[in-house]
Amino acid sequence: MDAVVKAIRLIVITDDTRDGIAGLVTRAAASVRGGATMLQVRLKHADARTLAEVTRAIVAAVPVPVLVNDRADVALAAGAAGVHVG
């Protein structure tokens, strides 16, 4: 088994920006401190600009891979580790 696969134990999926981008980034960072080894940015109702902004902020804040839900273009533009395709 690949070392990266062994390291991925808990994937956290974001919920919403109800408390703003800063709040979502804070919750994402807290999830990593709590043991998350990967994050998936899933904001179904966000436009591409907001999704990219959130993803960039999370990528900068956490030391684990970040995926973007369903938007390869945003994942590439925001520097995410990959995309989750449903």
Side-chain angles (χ1 to χ4, degrees):
M1 186 182 295
D2 186 72
V4 173
V5 174
K6 286 181 184 178
I8 297 173
R9 300 277 184 216
L10 176 63
I11 301 171
V12 169
I13 302 173
T14 65
D15 52 0
D16 205 347
T17 55
R18 67 181 178 274
D19 53 351
I21 293 172
L24 181 57
V25 172
T26 297
R27 285 184 277 126
S31 71
V32 172
R33 288 191 304 276
T37 56
M38 180 179 279
L39 293 169
Q40 179 180 331
V41 180
R42 183 179 187 268
L43 302 173
K44 287 292 195 176
H45 303 293
D47 59 41
R49 182 181 304 264
T50 301
L51 186 56
E53 183 180 354
V54 168
T55 302
R56 281 189 201 100
I58 291 174
V59 166
V62 299
V64 299
V66 176
L67 304 179
V68 177
N69 192 70
D70 289 335
R71 295 293 306 261
D73 57 336
V74 172
L76 285 169
V83 63
H84 174 273
V85 179

